[in-house]
Amino acid sequence: MKYFPFFLILLLAGSCAEPAGEADAQLLEPAFDLDSLTEVAARQYAKTLETLPDTNRIPRNAHPDGTWNLVKKGNWVSGFYPGVLWHLYALTGDEKWKEAGEAELLKLDSVQFFDYDHDIGFRIFNSFGSALRFTKDSSYVPVIVDAAKTLKTRYRPVTGVIRSWDWHDQWQYPVIIDNMMNLELLFWAARQTGDAEMETIAISHAEHTMDNHFRDDYSTYHVLDYDTLSGSVREKVTFQGYADSSMWARGQAWAIYGFTLTARETGRADFLKQAQSAADIFLKRLPEDGVPYWDFDAPGIPDEPKDASAAAIAASALLELSQLVEAADDQYRYHNAAIALLNALATPEYLAALPQQGLLLHSTGHKPGNSEIDEHIIYADYYFLEALLRLKELQPPTE
Ligand code: GLY
């Protein structure tokens, strides 16, 4: 119910003749019915439960013929499918999703100790973290704490940041903007365990990212390579974007989300400002239908593939951002921008229908690598459902 105060402000603002500084602001209504959209999601994933082969592999992306590409537990996306199931449980209250979510967690045995990249946050916090959040079952806590301890080992004081990848020979110490997402695991574990160093590391990572990963217009670089001796930045490049200088859509969405969560966890105005600036350039550059192309600077626009996942990540982040900003016009602006993104996604163009599986179509994983272009990808559904849940929690009392 933490969202009620915001809504009360908006309701009050709407009832006053001249609400402070925002006489003309209107709350944008969702163009979809939340319950009906939840039913669509449940219908889609009920089919997955019914048809998924009996395997330890985990759904990553759905092909148009209704089959899934399944991956091993070490894949960076392995936390999202369990997270989708847990979000469906939270949205519907139906025990079937809880049982399915519990079964998927078993597939992630020992993943909390996988130390070869930063994605342990995505793998464990979105799966076990969601389970803990929606059940309050403390038996999940040790796994998540162990994951945070593992993530901590990837930090070096000389750079001040957490190393993202180990598998690129051309870089000494690559750090990608996506890495901001994993700070949530550290903030949570610092509170849970009292290990203040985890929070210090998360804040250091965010501060360095704020200083180094942004251009003057607040668009973000994808990959920074740090010098392991001096700690300075050796180069600023891309891996999944169109060009070193371009604004890769999902990277920018990770930046909005990552700085929003860091602002929430720290209460710091500079992180909040950074989240707002990252959001403002993203929203300013959106195309007419409201869903970004895979890279805002892709050369073939408007004939480039979209990235629905970037829209879903940004929508969820913006709903939270609208709760953190103080000015009423900012609250309206970010809330309405989130609704506009969700409205654009909740259309026949973007929603899958059986026999297609998964929920959202038209995401792009790694265009330069010719991988997952204009497809359903599981993390788009995770953040879309998270946004629906945030929206549901925003609902004012009905009486
Ligand atoms: N974190 C990897 C990606 O966004 O594709």
Side-chain angles (χ1 to χ4, degrees), residues 60 66 192 309 324 355 375:
R60 174 172 171 140
Q192 180 68 33
S309 77
L324 299 179
E375 291 199 3

Side-chain angles (χ1 to χ4, degrees), residues 76 122 178 240 248 250 254 365 379:
W76 84 270
F122 285 115
D178 322 28
Q240 281 163 265
W248 175 48
R250 197 164 52 262
W254 293 140
Y379 43 80

Side-chain angles (χ1 to χ4, degrees), residues 279-298:
D280 291 346
I281 180 85
F282 181 96
L283 296 173
K284 186 174 153 197
R285 297 193 62 194
L286 281 176
E288 210 170 312
D289 82 343
V291 178
Y293 294 95
W294 70 280
D295 189 302
F296 283 82
D297 300 296

Side-chain angles (χ1 to χ4, degrees), residues 60 76-77 80 118-119 122 165 176-179 181-182 222 239-240 248 250-251 254 307 309 313 364-366 372 377 379:
R60 174 172 171 140
W76 84 270
V77 306
F80 289 111
H118 70 124
D119 290 318
F122 285 115
W165 297 328
I176 61 176
I177 187 66
D178 322 28
N179 205 331
M181 299 296 287
N182 298 306
H222 183 204
F239 182 65
Q240 281 163 265
W248 175 48
R250 197 164 52 262
W254 293 140
D307 184 13
S309 77
I313 295 160
T364 295
H366 186 183
E372 296 179 317
I377 311 180
Y379 43 80

Side-chain angles (χ1 to χ4, degrees), residues 1 3-4 7 11 29-30 32 34-35 335 339 388-398:
M1 295 299 126
Y3 294 105
F4 280 170
F7 254 92
L11 290 171
E29 290 295 326
F32 51 87
L34 195 52
D35 292 337
H335 177 88
I339 300 298
L388 295 190
L389 190 59
R390 285 180 169 176
L391 195 55
K392 191 171 171 155
E393 290 170 349
L394 277 170
Q395 295 295 315
T398 47

Side-chain angles (χ1 to χ4, degrees), residues 334-375:
Y334 295 126
H335 177 88
N336 288 352
I339 300 298
L341 286 165
L342 295 176
N343 284 347
L345 294 174
T347 57
E349 171 69 16
Y350 284 93
L351 289 177
L354 297 172
Q356 292 165 320
Q357 294 205 41
L359 185 57
L360 284 184
L361 305 170
H362 306 305
S363 289
T364 295
H366 186 183
K367 176 88 168 19
N370 206 24
S371 166
E372 296 179 317
I373 298 169
D374 194 14
E375 291 199 3

Side-chain angles (χ1 to χ4, degrees), residues 155 157-162 175-177 179-181 183 186-187 197-214 218 220 224 226 231 233 236 255 258-263 266-272 274-275:
Y155 176 80
V158 66
T159 61
V161 285
I162 299 161
V175 178
I176 61 176
I177 187 66
N179 205 331
M180 283 297 299
M181 299 296 287
L183 303 187
L186 290 178
F187 284 121
E197 204 185 1
M198 289 193 187
E199 186 182 17
T200 305
I201 288 173
I203 289 173
S204 173
H205 186 96
E207 286 174 343
H208 283 76
T209 302
M210 188 160 62
D211 289 346
N212 297 329
H213 241 102
F214 285 81
Y218 294 99
T220 49
L224 261 60
Y226 284 80
V233 176
K236 303 185 178 194
F259 278 94
T260 299
L261 80 85
T262 304
T266 61
R268 272 177 52 171
D270 53 348
F271 292 139
L272 186 61
Q274 203 71 11

